[in-house]
């Protein structure tokens, strides 16, 4: 018996929320069978409300840790 695991797409985000929203809105149609996790690595500007209407999981980090730790947060959620 095989179990299919969903593909998780992890998108680290640092600032530039409007570009993130624009690109997600455009590209989610290509990721419809994937779990999409957005990791906000800029805690001064929360993005969960901005992305609430999209089928994505949002992780709001408490402090900026850089690209690697942001990706690892997403992997932990996946």
């Amino acid at each position: 018996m095989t179990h299919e695991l969903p593909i998780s797409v992890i998108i680290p985000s640092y600032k530039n929320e409007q570009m993130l929203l624009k690109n997600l809105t455009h590209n989610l149609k290509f990721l419809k069978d994937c779990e999409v996790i957005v990791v906000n690595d800029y805690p001064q500007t929360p993005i969960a409300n901005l992305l609430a209407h999209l089928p994505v999981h949002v992780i709001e980090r408490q402090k900026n840790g850089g690209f690697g730790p942001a990706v690892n947060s997403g992997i932990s959620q996946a």
Side-chain angles (χ1 to χ4, degrees), residues 3-77:
H3 297 283
E4 288 188 35
L5 297 174
I7 295 173
S8 297
V9 176
I10 300 164
I11 303 170
S13 175
Y14 180 77
K15 299 185 179 180
N16 216 343
E17 309 82 34
Q18 294 306 315
M19 184 182 297
L20 172 68
L21 179 61
K22 178 182 175 184
N23 286 318
L24 271 176
T25 302
H26 176 75
N27 290 300
L28 277 175
K29 61 187 168 199
F30 303 112
L31 303 171
K32 64 181 178 175
D33 295 327
C34 300
E35 171 188 40
V36 179
I37 301 170
V38 178
V39 182
N40 182 18
D41 204 31
Y42 187 63
Q44 292 84 344
T45 305
I47 62 171
N49 288 339
L50 179 70
L51 305 179
H53 67 286
L54 298 175
V56 300
H57 302 284
V58 177
I59 298 173
E60 298 279 4
R61 292 183 41 93
Q62 297 302 308
K63 90 177 203 191
N64 177 279
F67 179 81
V71 170
N72 288 338
S73 294
I75 291 170
S76 295
Q77 174 76 30

